[in-house]
Amino acid sequence: MSGYSITEASPRQKWIAGLLVAAYTIVTLVPLFWIVATGFKSPSDAIAYPPKVVFEPTLEGYVNLFTTRTRMNPDQLEELGPPQTWYDRIVRQYDMVISGPSRFGERFLNSVIIGFGSTFLSIFLGTLAAYAFSRFKVPLKDDLLFFILSTRMMPPIAVAIPIFLMFRTLGLSDTHLGMILLYTAVNISLAVWLLKGFIDEIPREYEEAALIDGYSRFQAFYKVVLPQAATGIASTAIFCLIFSWNEYAFAVLLTSGTAQTAPPFIPTIIGIGKDWPAVAAGTTLFLIPVMVFTILLRKHLLRGITFGAVRK
Amino acid sequence: MTHSPIERVAFATPPAIASRARGLSDRALAWIFVTPTIALLLAINIFPLVWTIRLSLTNYRANRANAELEWVGIRNYTRILTDGDIWLSMQATAHFLIWTIVLQVAIGFALAWLINRKFKGNDLWTTIIVLPMMLSPAVVGNFWTFLYQPQIGLFNYVVSFLTGIDPSSFSMIGDVSLAPWSIVIVDTWMWTPFVMLICLAGLRSIPDYIYEAAAIDRASPWRQFWTITVPMVLPFLMLAVLFRGIENFKMFDMVTLLTGGGPGSTTELTSINLKREAFEKWRTGYSSAYAIILFVTVFGLASIYVKALNKVKQR
C-alpha cells in the first residue's frame, strides 16, 4: 500500500470519521436536549406516551419552580378578581394562587456564593503555592507535591464523618464559610498541580530581569509572573468552579438549610407532586452556567485535563 | 517584547546574582506561600483521617451527644470483614468499575482516534461531546430516573422502537438484573468524553515523523497502529483508567440519585453502603473502620497501579 500516510487522512476517511463522531455526538445530546425540552412542557405533555417531540411550549415548569402555590376553591378565586400577570394566569388555571417564592432561588444563590468563594480561595492559595513549588527550593518538594495530590484519593464519604463532627464542634456546619473551606481543600490539589504546570512554562528570565531592575521577589511575582499566568489561572478556575458547582456528597451530608446548594435541592422538587417540568426547569437553569463556560473556554479544556501534557 | 540593554544583561545573568534582590528572602517567601495550603489540607484532610482512625477503634455514635467513648480495639474491622454485606457491595462496585472502564476505554479511544483524522468541524464536535462530563452527577442521575421510567421514559421508548419489546414490560432501575446496567449506561454516557480527551492528548503527542519513518519502511497501517499508536497512547490510556477507577470507586452522587442502591442491594456500591451505616444507622465507630478499609483499598490499588504505569512510561 504505497503512498499511505496515517498522519494525513484521505478525504474519504475524514468523511467517514466525521460522520461517526457526529452520530455519537447526536446520541449523546439527546438526554440533554430532553432535559431542556421537558422544562418547557406542560405536566401532561411531559408524561405523554409515546414521548412528544412536538409540543406547545409553556413556562409552567419555570413558574412552578420559582413559586409555592396554594389551592383555593372557585368561590374564593372569584373574590380575588382576574389574575394580574402572565404567571398568575398560568397558576390560576389549576385553581391555585401563588403564596410565595420557592426555595430554589435561595439554593441557587448559595451555589453561586459557595462556588465562586471556594474557587477564588483555591486559586489564591493555589497560585502562591504553585509559584513557590515552581521557583523555590522547598524542602521535601516532591513529597509535599505527592501529599497534595493524594488528598484527592480520599472518598468524600470517608472524611465526611469526622468533618461532620469537626464542623459541629466549630459551629461551621451548614454555613457558607464551612462549605467554602471544605471545597477549597478539595480543589487545592488540582489547582496547585495545574498552576505549577503553567508557571513552569513561563521563562525564569522575565523575573530575573525584573529583579535586576530593582523589584523585590514579591513585586516580580505579581507584576511579571501573574499577568503571564493569567490564561492558566483562568482555566484552572473553571475546573475548580465546575467541581464546587456540581458537588453533591458533602453538600447533602453537611448542609441542611441555610447553606444548602442546588444539587441536593433539585432532586427534592420531584417529591412535590411528580412535577417533571419543574425538575427539568431547575436542572436546565443549573446546567446553563457550566455549559456556557465549557463552550467559551473550550481551547483550554484539553490542556487543563491532561495536566498540560499536550503542547502545541 | 523589546530587548533593552538591561534585559539582555538579565537574560545572561545567572540566578545567583538575581537572588540577591532586596525584600524578603526566597526562603521566607517560599514558606509564606506554601504554608496556608498545607495548613488547610492538614486541617481538612489529615486531621479528619487521623480522627477517623481513632473513632474506628471505638463504638461511638455521632447522634448520641456526650455518649461515653468505649474502646473496642479492632472489633469493628473484624466485624466488617466477616460481614456478608460488604462483600455484596464490593461485588456491585467491581461490576460497575469493570464495565464502565471497559466501555469508556473502548468508546473513548475509538472516538479520539476518529477525531484525530482532523476532519472539518472536529473542534466543534469535541466541544459538544464533552458537555455531559461538565454537569453535576447528582442532577444528571436524578434526571435519568425520568428517562428510565417504564411507561413514560424516553429510554424505554427508544429501546422498544428499536427492538419491539413492550416499553412497559421492563424497568431499568426497578429490575434486579437491569439496575446494575442502568448505572453503567449513565456513567458511560457522562465520562466517555473524559477518556476521549486524554486519548486525544496521547494521539496528538505522537510526532508525525515516526509514522513517516514507518511508512518508508513499508509498515502496513495495521502494523503502524499496533506498533506505534497503541504503545504511545498506552501511558495516557492508563492514566485515564486510573482517574476513572479512583472516581468510580468513590462513586456516590450519581448512583444515589439514580437507584439509591436498589432494588434490594444490587447497585449498593461501597460508598452508598458506607453512607447508610454512617448517616442513617449512625454507627460512627463501625463506619469509620469501614471508611479506613475503603481508603486503604483505593490507596493500595492506586499505588500498585501507578508503579505499573511508571514502568510502561519508561519503556
Side-chain angles (χ1 to χ4, degrees):
Chain A
M1 210 177 170
S2 63
Y4 174 85
S5 163
I6 201 162
T7 54
E8 193 43 53
S10 70
R12 199 172 66 107
Q13 278 184 326
K14 286 190 183 194
W15 201 79
I16 295 170
L19 203 69
L20 287 171
V21 172
Y24 174 87
T25 313
I26 288 163
V27 171
T28 264
L29 281 185
V30 167
L32 282 181
F33 166 78
W34 207 248
I35 293 173
V36 178
T38 307
F40 292 101
K41 287 179 180 176
S42 67
S44 54
D45 277 351
I47 57 167
Y49 191 89
K52 274 194 178 177
V53 178
V54 183
F55 57 91
E56 203 183 317
T58 164
L59 284 172
E60 216 180 303
Y62 286 86
V63 173
N64 291 354
L65 174 69
F66 280 103
T67 58
T68 53
R69 299 158 303 282
T70 4
R71 191 171 294 280
M72 308 273 266
N73 67 47
D75 298 342
Q76 288 168 312
L77 285 171
E78 291 275 308
E79 283 169 32
L80 284 172
Q84 298 295 311
T85 56
W86 61 270
Y87 45 87
D88 269 334
R89 228 167 293 142
I90 288 177
V91 173
R92 201 67 74 81
Q93 291 168 12
Y94 301 91
D95 292 343
M96 289 199 267
V97 291
I98 293 170
S99 56
S102 74
R103 289 152 80 201
F104 181 75
E106 241 174 84
R107 298 296 178 258
F108 199 85
L109 189 66
N110 282 343
S111 276
V112 172
I113 295 170
I114 293 170
F116 282 90
S118 71
T119 301
F120 176 78
L121 199 59
S122 335
I123 292 297
F124 179 73
L125 296 179
T127 312
L128 295 183
Y131 179 73
F133 281 122
S134 174
R135 294 294 197 255
F136 299 138
K137 276 188 190 141
V138 179
L140 301 171
K141 185 193 272 184
D142 291 340
D143 296 323
L144 275 179
L145 278 171
F146 183 76
F147 159 70
I148 290 175
L149 191 66
S150 73
T151 55
R152 237 187 144 73
M153 288 184 203
M154 215 107 50
I157 310 289
V159 277
I161 304 160
I163 288 177
F164 173 79
L165 298 172
M166 185 167 94
F167 274 21
R168 202 168 61 178
T169 318
L170 297 173
L172 282 173
S173 54
D174 206 13
T175 61
H176 292 93
L177 179 66
M179 296 310 284
I180 288 174
L181 287 176
L182 182 61
Y183 288 169
T184 303
V186 180
N187 267 331
I188 210 159
S189 58
L190 182 73
V192 170
W193 276 76
L194 280 177
L195 287 166
K196 183 178 174 293
F198 286 115
I199 294 174
D200 280 344
E201 283 177 30
I202 303 169
R204 281 162 185 261
E205 285 81 3
Y206 290 178
E207 287 152 87
E208 279 154 13
L211 293 177
I212 297 287
D213 281 350
Y215 281 27
S216 72
R217 248 305 179 180
F218 190 71
Q219 284 172 321
F221 165 66
Y222 79 88
K223 287 191 179 157
V224 178
V225 179
L226 274 192
Q228 295 278 332
T231 47
I233 290 174
S235 62
T236 309
I238 299 311
F239 282 99
C240 293
L241 187 64
I242 286 176
F243 170 83
S244 327
W245 188 255
N246 291 337
E247 209 282 334
Y248 172 80
F250 285 129
V252 81
L253 297 174
L254 302 176
T255 64
S256 47
T258 334
Q260 198 179 66
T261 50
F265 180 73
I266 290 173
T268 64
I269 302 170
I270 194 60
I272 316 164
K274 289 264 172 197
D275 193 348
W276 285 109
V279 179
T283 308
T284 308
L285 287 181
F286 190 69
L287 302 182
I288 286 173
V290 176
M291 286 191 176
V292 171
F293 277 135
T294 310
I295 291 165
L296 287 180
L297 288 138
R298 58 183 179 277
K299 298 268 179 249
H300 301 290
L301 276 176
L302 190 58
R303 262 189 89 196
I305 284 173
T306 54
F307 279 25
V310 191
R311 302 235 162 78
K312 289 256 155 144
Chain B
M1 201 171 171
T2 54
H3 287 264
S4 62
I6 187 77
E7 272 171 335
R8 253 177 274 136
V9 173
F11 274 66
T13 309
I17 296 176
S19 67
R20 264 193 269 129
R22 66 193 170 79
L24 285 164
S25 76
D26 282 4
R27 210 183 155 75
L29 212 55
W31 275 111
I32 294 170
F33 280 9
V34 173
T35 312
T37 297
I38 301 295
L40 187 70
L41 287 175
L42 285 176
I44 295 194
N45 274 302
I46 301 308
F47 175 65
L49 186 70
V50 175
W51 199 346
T52 310
I53 296 174
R54 200 179 93 95
L55 285 176
S56 75
L57 303 172
T58 68
N59 66 352
Y60 181 67
R61 297 173 83 96
N63 60 338
R64 293 193 196 149
N66 306 323
E68 285 288 307
L69 268 189
E70 198 185 305
W71 293 88
V72 296
I74 58 159
R75 204 173 73 200
N76 284 329
Y77 289 89
T78 52
R79 261 172 58 195
I80 292 165
L81 294 173
T82 51
D83 187 350
D85 276 5
I86 191 176
W87 298 113
L88 277 179
S89 55
M90 282 283 186
Q91 257 174 34
T93 311
H95 177 276
F96 179 64
L97 268 177
I98 292 167
W99 279 105
T100 50
I101 287 175
V102 166
L103 287 170
Q104 288 166 28
V105 164
I107 304 172
F109 181 79
L111 279 174
W113 194 71
L114 289 171
I115 287 176
N116 207 32
R117 309 286 97 183
K118 303 188 184 88
F119 51 84
K120 219 175 168 185
N122 64 349
D123 278 351
L124 175 74
W125 292 121
T126 316
T127 308
I128 300 175
I129 283 179
V130 301
L131 279 178
M133 63 178 264
M134 300 294 156
L135 310 178
S136 168
V139 173
V140 160
N142 176 51
F143 203 82
W144 270 82
T145 58
F146 179 54
L147 302 180
Y148 278 148
Q149 295 284 313
Q151 294 287 344
I152 55 174
L154 184 66
F155 185 87
N156 281 36
Y157 176 73
V158 170
V159 169
S160 88
F161 187 81
L162 296 174
T163 63
I165 301 168
D166 179 14
S168 55
S169 69
F170 68 102
S171 160
M172 285 302 286
I173 53 180
D175 193 296
V176 174
S177 57
L178 292 176
W181 296 104
S182 72
I183 59 178
V184 169
I185 291 171
V186 180
D187 195 77
T188 304
W189 173 75
M190 256 194 111
W191 292 107
T192 298
F194 177 78
V195 180
M196 180 204 82
L197 279 181
I198 293 192
C199 288
L200 197 56
L203 287 169
R204 291 196 177 156
S205 74
I206 306 173
D208 287 355
Y209 65 81
I210 298 188
Y211 287 119
E212 281 152 18
I216 290 167
D217 289 345
R218 292 175 174 259
S220 69
W222 183 248
R223 182 89 193 274
Q224 289 183 21
F225 178 76
W226 285 107
T227 55
I228 302 171
T229 312
V230 172
M232 298 279 274
V233 178
L234 196 61
F236 288 85
L237 204 58
M238 285 182 75
L239 201 65
V241 169
L242 176 71
F243 287 147
R244 287 312 309 143
I246 291 177
E247 285 300 311
N248 275 356
F249 195 87
K250 305 192 299 188
M251 171 56 69
F252 173 72
D253 33 17
M254 185 271 283
V255 175
T256 299
L257 283 154
L258 194 62
T259 64
S265 57
T266 42
T267 58
E268 186 153 308
L269 307 183
T270 45
S271 318
I272 297 174
N273 197 221
L274 173 60
K275 191 244 169 181
R276 196 157 288 168
E277 293 291 340
F279 290 95
E280 281 166 29
K281 298 184 187 165
W282 291 103
R283 297 157 76 182
T284 315
Y286 181 82
S287 53
S288 298
Y290 198 160
I292 295 294
I293 290 175
L294 291 186
F295 178 59
V296 169
T297 312
V298 183
F299 202 83
L301 290 176
S303 312
I304 296 168
Y305 187 87
V306 167
K307 278 212 178 106
L309 178 66
N310 285 337
K311 263 193 194 145
V312 170
K313 262 188 188 164
Q314 278 161 8
R315 269 208 322 236

